[in-house]
Amino acid sequence: MTHALIVVDVQNDFCPGGALAVPGGDEIVGTINAMMEDYDAVILTQDWHPAGHSSFASEHDGKKPFDMTEMRYGPQVLWPDHCVQGTEGASFHPELKTHADLVIRKGFRPGIDSYSAFYENDQKTPTGLEGYLKSRGIDTLTLVGLATDFCVHFSAVDAARLGFDVTVRMDACRAIDLDGSLAAAEEAMRSAGVKLV
Ligand code: VGL
Ligand code: ZN
């Protein structure tokens, strides 16, 4: 077994004071730093949008953050502008250890959002992470980070479908929880065979 820790989007904009703050988002940093010592590989993901990204409510007339819209690939939540490439908000939390093997950036295509670290929200466009992990012989993944109900959820479900053995450490994640999205995410992860511990 070769076991990787995938640290999802522990970035300033998802922490208190950030543009899309997740309640308690900064509380998990110490736990994650300590966990990093225990894995064969550590991979960080970084939400990385160009200015004017199509997932931003500010790009849609008459819409406000957290409204829904219909994209070519299906329904999409509209977010406050966040994690714009090269900004402080897109940087990792200053206390997060960043001596990772790989940083995978996602959400850089203007017309498509990417919650999962494996596929963009059209569920077809790969990020390349699957190939990286498999070519290193990594078969087991533990996921932590932000947000439980969006990027962690979609990454975990895709990973399980791709054949990885997947665990989410819930104590090292925090959720946005829009309209029951946390409960729905937990259900979806469990039914995909993800272990929630
Ligand atoms: C995320 C919403 C928009 C996340 C990223 O990291 O969970 N959520 N972009
Ligand atoms: Zn985003």
Side-chain angles (χ1 to χ4, degrees):
M1 173 188 96
T2 307
H3 197 167
L5 179 68
I6 313 256
V7 180
V8 178
D9 297 0
V10 181
Q11 292 167 258
N12 290 325
D13 271 342
F14 296 123
C15 290
L20 178 39
V22 180
D26 55 341
E27 295 166 4
I28 61 179
V29 173
T31 306
I32 294 172
N33 285 341
M35 288 175 74
M36 287 182 185
E37 309 310 318
D38 301 333
Y39 293 82
D40 301 306
V42 176
I43 288 125
L44 309 181
T45 77
Q46 191 171 25
D47 209 42
W48 193 249
H49 300 305
H53 190 257
S54 59
S55 74
F56 296 169
S58 59
E59 295 299 304
H60 299 260
D61 283 339
K63 295 282 192 187
K64 43 186 202 320
F66 311 108
D67 284 350
M68 296 295 300
T69 192
E70 205 53 49
M71 301 286 222
R72 273 190 301 279
Y73 52 81
Q76 166 74 45
V77 182
L78 292 172
W79 303 107
D81 291 24
H82 66 281
C83 296
V84 173
Q85 296 174 2
T87 63
E88 196 49 34
S91 299
F92 293 113
H93 184 285
E95 279 151 38
L96 183 74
K97 289 190 187 160
T98 55
H99 59 282
D101 299 1
L102 176 77
V103 176
I104 185 133
R105 289 173 163 167
K106 59 185 181 61
F108 51 76
R109 287 187 177 80
I112 180 168
D113 205 4
S114 189
Y115 296 150
S116 164
F118 294 93
Y119 290 101
E120 307 208 8
N121 286 8
D122 62 358
Q123 295 179 333
K124 296 199 276 279
T125 308
T127 62
L129 182 58
E130 177 192 9
Y132 176 86
L133 296 172
K134 289 189 173 165
S135 60
R136 282 192 59 182
I138 292 165
D139 50 13
T140 307
L141 305 177
T142 293
L143 275 74
V144 296
L146 305 170
T148 324
D149 40 345
F150 289 92
C151 292
V152 174
H153 158 210
F154 287 95
S155 298
V157 167
D158 282 348
R161 288 198 185 119
L162 291 168
F164 294 96
D165 181 308
V166 188
T167 299
V168 174
R169 271 275 302 264
M170 297 297 279
D171 62 314
C173 295
R174 291 292 182 274
I176 298 175
D177 206 11
L178 286 179
D179 300 326
S181 58
L182 177 58
E186 289 182 1
E187 176 53 32
M189 290 192 280
R190 281 206 186 88
S191 29
V194 174
K195 289 165 261 187
L196 306 185
V197 301

